[in-house]
Amino acid sequence: MLKYALAAALVLTAADAKTPAEVWKDGIKDANAVWATQKHAYLKINDAAYLHEGEFASLIGDPKKPATWHWAKGKAANAALIASFQKGKAVLTKGGKPVPEAALANGIDIAPDIDVTGGATQMAPGETGLRLWVFDQTNKAAKAFKGIDVFPYDPAYRVSAAFKPDPKFTPHVFRTSRGLDKQFFHAGDATFVLQGKTVTLPLYGDARKPADVKSLSSFYTDELTGKGAYHAGRYVDVELPAGKFPPATVTIDFNFAYNPNCARSNFFNCPFAVDFIPLAMKAGEKDPHAAAH
């Protein structure tokens, strides 16, 4: 659902010949590329702007100093790009000329090594806004990145869980790292046995209609949170076969658990975990701040 790097590798089809452990290993390589080496790698972000309806932001910087590029509120006369969110669409002006909203998907070139991407994002329950990123291909954070740190793959953390759906798809509002709110919908509870203990874990979707649900997510803390696992909790995603909601059972592989992107970057808007697993979950991604890689 959240499309984070490590989690994206979990999608298996009947044609996949690789074992879950092999898919997990490949996912780590993909995650490292998403963080540091791809053109729009997360650690190449210099700054972000989150705009509500009617708000403006100006991109300002020195073409000879890539690290200086940043967003300022409002409309600035010396801006390389002015952006606003009007009637649900991005409105962009570069050098006094309009730029098509569709250009944000691939990137709008600003200066050598600098470009801008963006798109619609949830700002609050029922409210869509605009998120904008400015990327610097010379960003020191990307160059210094050593790779994500994970626990060794342990098949014991791949569990089959009974699924009890929530027929109301009850809305649940999560506070986020940027002081905003994000709404997800409680799709049901997964119950499984791990380390001899029965655990019930709520699972959430980003759509309220069952037909629109393609995957579910858990936002959880555990006994390792703040003690080797990221202090704000971790996420794990559960893929669902098309047209198979509600399933009688789901498979949860905690080896694919991942940190919110906010664990390494201040430029994201991450829900805080709220559900607790009463176990030391030695699976998935570790706290990137706990030890040097």
Side-chain angles (χ1 to χ4, degrees), residues 105-186:
N106 295 321
I108 300 170
D109 291 332
I110 301 298
D113 294 319
I114 302 296
D115 75 328
V116 169
T117 71
T121 189
Q122 184 182 165
M123 301 288 282
E127 179 190 353
T128 299
L130 176 65
R131 177 174 62 189
L132 298 164
W133 286 321
V134 54
F135 289 87
D136 170 13
Q137 297 304 312
T138 68
N139 196 305
K140 293 180 180 179
K143 293 180 181 295
F145 183 64
K146 303 299 183 183
I148 65 171
D149 194 7
V150 296
F151 290 96
Y153 190 91
D154 185 345
Y157 283 98
R158 181 178 172 87
V159 300
S160 178
F163 183 73
K164 182 180 179 181
D166 177 353
K168 296 182 179 179
F169 262 61
T170 306
H172 188 104
V173 176
F174 292 79
R175 198 64 174 167
T176 74
S177 57
R178 299 188 72 89
L180 302 172
D181 292 319
K182 276 193 172 184
Q183 180 172 267
F184 295 94
F185 301 95
H186 177 232

Side-chain angles (χ1 to χ4, degrees), residues 219-223 225 231-234 273-278 281:
F219 311 88
Y220 71 90
T221 60
D222 64 89
E223 291 181 353
T225 300
H231 69 87
R234 291 180 285 177
V274 294
D275 296 312
F276 179 67
I277 298 176
M281 299 293 287

Side-chain angles (χ1 to χ4, degrees), residues 200-214:
T200 296
L201 190 63
L203 297 179
Y204 303 90
D206 57 4
R208 189 150 198 183
K209 295 181 179 179
D212 296 332
V213 176
K214 301 299 186 293

